[in-house]
Amino acid sequence: MDALRHEIWPIVSLSVLVSTTAVMLSCVLGMPLGAWLGLSAMRGKSIFQALAFAGMATPPVVVGLVLYLLLSRSGPLGDWRWLFTGKAMIFAQVILDLPFVICITMTAVESLPEELRFQLRSLGATPWQLRWTLLSESREGLMLAVITAMGRSLSEVGAVLMVGGNIEGHTRVLTTAILLETSRGRFAVALSLGAILMTMALMINILFVRLQKRYPR
Amino acid sequence: MTSVPIYRLHQVHHRLSSTFSLTIGDWQHAQGETLCLVGPTGAGKTTFLRSLTGLTEIQGGSIEFEGRQWSAGLGTLTEVRQIALVPQRPLLLSRSVRANLEYGLRLRGLRADDRVAQLLSCLGLERLAEKSAQHLSGGQIQLVALGRALVLQPKVLLLDEPAANLDPAFVALIEQVLDDWRRRYQTTLIWATHNMFQAQRVADRVAMFLNGQIVEVSDREKFFQHPDDPRTQDFVQGKMVC
């Protein structure tokens, strides 16, 4: 148990590091893309939207398998030497989070009245100023996107196990540690790790609820 | 007033739907003048106002603003920023009343604290300045929408029933504020209203809209005393026209 206590801190810190990095990258990439899809009137927009929605249903193990093949030594991205590293785990989580961030942002922006765009333009907004204002007006939706991506990242197990390898002190995160302890029959330890994970998820959600109250629509 | 009209429209055709089009033969408007647009609901007043913003693409004809022709009815950013619209159903940003008033200025990279404070005071919004715009009544929203347009000191102010949701005291206040503003900044006002008494109080000229067309435009006195078109006569007398 003492040895496990020494193990827990690296596991928790790696879980937080991998998840927050993945969520930040997903937001940086996904929010502008979602806003663009939500505001664009281009042809073929519905195809991109359908692809983004389909992405939300992608099984994590499939993402894990594809990334494993891409990142393995003989794969096209083998030179990166990312397999069984934290980078590969972040990569997998970004791919899994991205459709959620895109779709929630897109829906939030689209749900704003069309008339608001006209009125903002009549006040002199340039296309970029208009996009920025509409994103700001969709802030509740954007916070939901962050919460959803964070929840998904923290609870992800299939893909990170495949590309991370669950290596002690290196790529072991809370979810993969729970899986290992369960397979070893050490249910008390697995439950303790589960409680830590649930507490983290709860704390993050409380933080976002407070933020929503501070910056209401 | 300048010799070049601020607006000159020629054979403008704007198709809004399969059943409604705006068709304006020839119309021009002098700078600093107040024109009231009257006519039954659905006559095309709002569509006409929107076509004057420089943001609505037209299908035919030409619109000139200060002597420069807009391509397909679309003005440049500089031109669009000289025109402000107060819509019939204003949508405010989910920010404070003050932030809503300052929004257009910020878009232009400007600050005008004195002007914002002056308008908050004129429009009776001082005590609401830091309150969220999401908690305002319909009338207060209308006042903020007027304030956010006036603070920009536009050359042209397009007003789409700006006093529709207001009680008589606020209607008088809006008319007073707009009159002061017009005199001080030579602002051109184009004002859609259903209120004939209001049109008589504020207009230099009045235009009668029906089925997407201007059926008569004349000086206020003539419009109300001796209109040429029988449909205008009926409308002024409160009869149904179509």
Short mmCIF file of all heavy atoms in Angstrom, two decimals, chain A residues 33 36-49:
data_model
loop_
_atom_site.label_atom_id
_atom_site.label_comp_id
_atom_site.label_asym_id
_atom_site.label_seq_id
_atom_site.Cartn_x
_atom_site.Cartn_y
_atom_site.Cartn_z
N LEU A 33 -12.97 25.93 -35.73
CA LEU A 33 -13.56 25.09 -36.77
C LEU A 33 -15.08 24.97 -36.60
O LEU A 33 -15.84 25.07 -37.56
CB LEU A 33 -12.90 23.70 -36.70
CG LEU A 33 -12.89 22.86 -37.95
CD1 LEU A 33 -12.25 23.58 -39.12
CD2 LEU A 33 -12.16 21.53 -37.69
N TRP A 36 -16.66 28.26 -37.50
CA TRP A 36 -16.68 28.41 -38.97
C TRP A 36 -17.79 27.56 -39.57
O TRP A 36 -18.55 28.03 -40.43
CB TRP A 36 -15.31 28.00 -39.53
CG TRP A 36 -15.27 27.98 -41.02
CD1 TRP A 36 -15.32 29.04 -41.86
CD2 TRP A 36 -15.20 26.81 -41.85
NE1 TRP A 36 -15.28 28.62 -43.17
CE2 TRP A 36 -15.20 27.26 -43.19
CE3 TRP A 36 -15.12 25.44 -41.60
CZ2 TRP A 36 -15.14 26.38 -44.26
CZ3 TRP A 36 -15.05 24.57 -42.66
CH2 TRP A 36 -15.06 25.04 -43.97
N LEU A 37 -17.92 26.32 -39.12
CA LEU A 37 -18.99 25.46 -39.65
C LEU A 37 -20.37 26.02 -39.30
O LEU A 37 -21.30 25.95 -40.10
CB LEU A 37 -18.86 24.05 -39.07
CG LEU A 37 -17.93 23.09 -39.79
CD1 LEU A 37 -17.83 21.78 -39.03
CD2 LEU A 37 -18.42 22.81 -41.21
N GLY A 38 -20.48 26.57 -38.09
CA GLY A 38 -21.77 27.12 -37.66
C GLY A 38 -22.18 28.36 -38.43
O GLY A 38 -23.36 28.58 -38.68
N LEU A 39 -21.20 29.15 -38.84
CA LEU A 39 -21.51 30.43 -39.50
C LEU A 39 -21.44 30.37 -41.01
O LEU A 39 -22.00 31.22 -41.69
CB LEU A 39 -20.54 31.52 -39.02
CG LEU A 39 -20.59 31.85 -37.53
CD1 LEU A 39 -19.48 32.80 -37.15
CD2 LEU A 39 -21.94 32.46 -37.18
N SER A 40 -20.75 29.37 -41.52
CA SER A 40 -20.53 29.29 -42.96
C SER A 40 -21.83 28.96 -43.72
O SER A 40 -22.70 28.27 -43.20
CB SER A 40 -19.49 28.22 -43.25
OG SER A 40 -19.49 27.91 -44.60
N ALA A 41 -21.91 29.49 -44.93
CA ALA A 41 -23.05 29.17 -45.78
C ALA A 41 -22.56 28.44 -47.03
O ALA A 41 -23.23 28.44 -48.06
CB ALA A 41 -23.78 30.45 -46.16
N MET A 42 -21.38 27.83 -46.93
CA MET A 42 -20.79 27.21 -48.12
C MET A 42 -21.51 25.91 -48.52
O MET A 42 -22.21 25.31 -47.70
CB MET A 42 -19.32 26.90 -47.85
CG MET A 42 -19.12 25.91 -46.73
SD MET A 42 -17.59 25.05 -46.88
CE MET A 42 -17.79 23.77 -45.66
N ARG A 43 -21.29 25.54 -49.75
CA ARG A 43 -21.83 24.28 -50.23
C ARG A 43 -21.10 23.13 -49.55
O ARG A 43 -19.90 23.22 -49.30
CB ARG A 43 -21.62 24.15 -51.74
CG ARG A 43 -22.71 24.76 -52.55
CD ARG A 43 -22.48 24.42 -54.00
NE ARG A 43 -23.49 25.02 -54.85
CZ ARG A 43 -23.52 24.88 -56.15
NH1 ARG A 43 -22.60 24.17 -56.76
NH2 ARG A 43 -24.47 25.44 -56.87
N GLY A 44 -21.81 22.05 -49.30
CA GLY A 44 -21.17 20.87 -48.71
C GLY A 44 -20.97 20.99 -47.21
O GLY A 44 -20.35 20.14 -46.59
N LYS A 45 -21.52 22.07 -46.63
CA LYS A 45 -21.40 22.27 -45.19
C LYS A 45 -22.01 21.08 -44.42
O LYS A 45 -21.45 20.62 -43.42
CB LYS A 45 -22.10 23.58 -44.82
CG LYS A 45 -22.20 23.87 -43.35
CD LYS A 45 -23.01 25.15 -43.13
CE LYS A 45 -23.42 25.30 -41.68
NZ LYS A 45 -24.13 26.55 -41.42
N SER A 46 -23.14 20.61 -44.92
CA SER A 46 -23.84 19.52 -44.21
C SER A 46 -23.00 18.25 -44.18
O SER A 46 -23.11 17.46 -43.23
CB SER A 46 -25.20 19.26 -44.85
OG SER A 46 -25.02 18.98 -46.21
N ILE A 47 -22.14 18.06 -45.19
CA ILE A 47 -21.27 16.87 -45.20
C ILE A 47 -20.26 16.97 -44.05
O ILE A 47 -20.06 16.02 -43.29
CB ILE A 47 -20.56 16.73 -46.56
CG1 ILE A 47 -21.60 16.48 -47.65
CG2 ILE A 47 -19.52 15.60 -46.53
CD1 ILE A 47 -21.05 16.57 -49.05
N PHE A 48 -19.65 18.16 -43.91
CA PHE A 48 -18.70 18.37 -42.81
C PHE A 48 -19.39 18.20 -41.45
O PHE A 48 -18.84 17.63 -40.53
CB PHE A 48 -18.07 19.77 -42.90
CG PHE A 48 -17.04 19.89 -43.99
CD1 PHE A 48 -17.32 20.54 -45.16
CD2 PHE A 48 -15.77 19.35 -43.81
CE1 PHE A 48 -16.37 20.66 -46.17
CE2 PHE A 48 -14.81 19.46 -44.81
CZ PHE A 48 -15.12 20.12 -45.99
N GLN A 49 -20.63 18.73 -41.38
CA GLN A 49 -21.37 18.62 -40.13
C GLN A 49 -21.66 17.16 -39.79
O GLN A 49 -21.49 16.73 -38.65
CB GLN A 49 -22.69 19.40 -40.22
CG GLN A 49 -22.47 20.91 -40.16
CD GLN A 49 -23.76 21.69 -40.26
OE1 GLN A 49 -24.65 21.33 -41.05
NE2 GLN A 49 -23.86 22.76 -39.52
#
